[in-house]
Amino acid sequence: EDQVTQSPEALRLQEGESSSLNCSYTVSGLRGLFWYRQDPGKGPEFLFTLYSAGEEKEKERLKATLTKKESFLHITAPKPEDSATYLCAVPYGGTSYGKLTFGQGTILTVHP
Amino acid sequence: GAVVSQHPSWVICKSGTSVKIECRSLDFQATTMFWYRQFPKQSLMLMATSNEGSKATYEQGVEKDKFLINHASLTLSTLTVTSAHPEDSSFYICSARPTSGDQETQYFGPGTRLLVL
């Protein structure tokens, strides 16, 4: 059964304190892993798509990496505006049917 | 680019009435759109897949007669909650996959909050 597990459930950081969020997955034939940011009361905002182990992508203070079993979202010198829920997702069965299985998310709070 | 809109952003209705929610891809075409539901403090749960010009496919446990989906064009899908009841109150979010370019990534709308009294 395909599973996506995110850890930690919640993370509190001081402004400028770098850290990483984890997304572990068990799917056969991975066809993409997606990272989204969701603010309260809003839809998920697309951040990154990773397709193969070893791939890395960056956007401002965020950097996503992918291995064969997990993905990390690294946050460098976070600011309070980075506070949000970060979601990772993979397609059902790892194949390109479009349906996504989401992890439960990591709630990030960055204190000034 | 890759903007998805939803309308309305929130709606309050009486029990027994029907509510229609629109999902539009503003700057790209989407053969496939998806409808999700999200309860407080929970992650997104896929309800159905909407394909332009064909019938929607529903996830197990989702009543197709209660949640009517129409995907009439490459930029518009609608979800109608029929005979809504308080237990249908939730946050409904749509997403769209581009027909060209990066066809794997889904782009999400801002969501519609439904409250059934």
Side-chain angles (χ1 to χ4, degrees):
Chain A
E1 181 181 337
D2 298 335
Q3 285 192 331
V4 180
T5 304
Q6 292 187 245
S7 62
E9 291 185 10
L11 181 63
R12 293 177 177 269
L13 299 173
Q14 288 296 126
E15 185 172 2
E17 179 186 3
S18 301
S19 187
S20 297
L21 282 56
N22 178 265
C23 173
S24 299
Y25 61 90
T26 54
V27 297
S28 55
L30 182 70
R31 286 291 299 270
L33 183 142
F34 309 93
W35 281 99
Y36 292 88
R37 167 192 171 132
Q38 187 176 26
D39 293 303
K42 296 187 178 181
E45 174 189 346
F46 171 71
L47 293 175
F48 304 107
T49 302
L50 301 168
Y51 285 108
S52 57
E55 188 174 1
E56 299 183 350
K57 289 191 176 176
E58 289 187 65
K59 179 182 179 180
E60 296 181 354
R61 295 177 292 281
L62 300 176
K63 178 180 177 181
T65 61
L66 181 66
T67 72
K68 290 184 178 180
K69 294 183 178 181
E70 58 192 349
S71 178
F72 292 94
L73 185 65
H74 308 277
I75 303 176
T76 303
K79 298 181 178 181
E81 53 261 42
D82 295 322
S83 298
T85 296
Y86 290 85
L87 300 166
C88 72
V90 297
Y92 279 20
T95 57
S96 181
Y97 296 132
K99 300 180 182 182
L100 294 180
T101 298
F102 280 88
Q104 286 301 104
T106 293
I107 303 171
L108 174 66
T109 305
V110 182
H111 296 284
Chain B
V3 178
V4 177
S5 69
Q6 280 184 243
H7 178 79
S9 55
W10 60 270
V11 58
I12 301 174
C13 70
K14 293 182 179 180
S15 184
T17 61
S18 294
V19 175
K20 179 185 284 188
I21 302 170
E22 291 186 350
C23 176
R24 294 181 184 271
S25 55
L26 298 184
D27 51 2
F28 64 97
Q29 293 185 328
T31 305
T32 305
M33 292 184 174
F34 303 88
W35 288 95
Y36 294 82
R37 187 171 179 177
Q38 187 175 36
F39 290 105
K41 299 189 184 300
Q42 294 187 22
S43 195
L44 285 76
M45 294 297 295
L46 180 66
M47 298 175 63
T49 302
S50 169
N51 295 294
E52 188 267 337
S54 63
K55 291 184 178 180
T57 56
Y58 293 81
E59 295 302 296
Q60 190 174 5
V62 178
E63 300 176 59
K64 62 179 181 180
D65 294 330
K66 180 164 189 63
F67 299 99
L68 301 179
I69 292 173
N70 184 283
H71 194 152
S73 76
L74 289 174
T75 60
L76 174 64
S77 176
T78 61
L79 169 69
T80 301
V81 183
T82 63
S83 186
H85 288 95
E87 57 265 29
D88 299 322
S89 299
S90 189
F91 191 48
Y92 293 87
I93 310 173
C94 71
S95 71
R97 289 175 65 199
T99 302
S100 60
D102 181 1
Q103 299 177 43
E104 294 290 352
T105 299
Q106 292 182 31
Y107 299 93
F108 286 81
T112 296
R113 188 161 303 280
L114 171 63
L115 177 61
V116 185
L117 302 176

